[in-house]
Amino acid sequence: MKYQSVDEIYAGNEKIRARLKDVLSRLSENQAAALPEGEKWTIAQIVEHVAIVDESTSKICARLLKQAQEGGQAFDRRVNISDNFLQKGVEIAAIKVEAPSFVQPSGDRTIPESLAKLEETDRRLEEMRPLFESVHSSDFKFPHPFVGEITAHEWLALKGGHELRHIEQIERLIGRLG
């Protein structure tokens, strides 16, 4: 999605999180723990993965925003989501991607534990919101394994896109599990 403001990114991410919670609220324990044939992760492991990635994303954003703040450029309140970022988003949506080892789930977290971790990360990101809204971060980037070099604002947008990708995966698995 081509966001125009930090508010739009936060609002989009909030809607995505509400959808995740809604989907998960309808799961049985058996569905959460089932490993369908041909799959590598259970639904509980997918949610754990999302929590791990969100935590990593918040740390990357904090680092990039700190660099931007030290750079001292004022932000004009318009988010610059690059065409490359948008194109890579289209490309990655159409393929199955192997998660790097550092964001693989352990299988030790329950869905409520992963949701608690997601809420903790959301609180940290909300604390960073004034920085997202006040510093120009286009000159400061950190590489994503597939998307390439992206800004803090793009990482924040990617957070929601990543979560949405896994919500759709969970919905497909629920359909298979019945």
Side-chain angles (χ1 to χ4, degrees):
M1 174 166 214
K2 185 79 172 173
Y3 292 110
Q4 300 296 317
S5 71
V6 171
D7 285 341
E8 284 182 7
I9 299 173
Y10 273 88
N13 287 350
E14 287 170 14
K15 285 180 186 174
I16 291 166
R17 178 58 51 75
R19 181 173 167 191
L20 176 65
K21 287 179 178 180
D22 179 60
V23 168
L24 295 177
S25 73
R26 294 181 266 132
L27 276 182
S28 70
E29 284 187 37
N30 287 342
Q31 288 173 316
L35 184 61
E37 187 175 326
E39 296 295 330
K40 292 184 177 185
W41 296 346
T42 66
I43 292 172
Q45 288 173 312
I46 293 168
V47 179
E48 179 185 359
H49 163 74
V50 171
I52 293 166
V53 170
D54 268 24
E55 182 177 28
S56 179
T57 297
S58 75
K59 289 176 182 176
I60 291 167
C61 288
R63 188 174 326 132
L64 291 173
L65 291 170
K66 181 179 181 203
Q67 290 172 345
Q69 187 179 33
E70 290 169 356
Q73 289 182 298
F75 181 51
D76 66 7
R77 311 221 11 116
R78 291 193 50 204
V79 174
N80 181 23
I81 303 294
S82 71
D83 290 338
N84 178 64
F85 177 83
L86 295 172
Q87 179 59 39
K88 290 292 188 178
V90 170
E91 291 172 19
I92 200 168
I95 61 173
K96 187 163 182 139
V97 179
E98 183 75 26
S101 60
F102 62 91
V103 293
Q104 295 271 340
S106 67
D108 295 335
R109 279 195 194 153
T110 65
I111 288 177
E113 289 169 335
S114 292
L115 286 172
K117 191 67 168 169
L118 286 167
E119 288 176 16
E120 178 184 319
T121 300
D122 282 348
R123 281 191 295 278
R124 279 198 305 273
L125 285 168
E126 189 59 41
E127 290 169 3
M128 285 185 248
R129 191 174 188 149
L131 281 176
F132 275 110
E133 294 173 336
S134 65
V135 298
H136 180 73
S137 65
S138 293
D139 296 336
F140 305 94
K141 298 178 181 182
F142 189 84
H144 179 274
F146 183 82
V147 181
E149 297 281 327
I150 59 177
T151 68
H153 292 108
E154 290 170 329
W155 276 101
L156 186 63
L158 184 65
K159 171 197 171 320
H162 176 257
E163 192 166 323
L164 183 58
R165 174 187 182 92
H166 287 296
I167 292 168
E168 292 167 353
Q169 178 187 17
I170 290 167
E171 289 171 336
R172 286 190 303 275
L173 290 177
I174 291 170
R176 287 177 54 197
L177 295 169

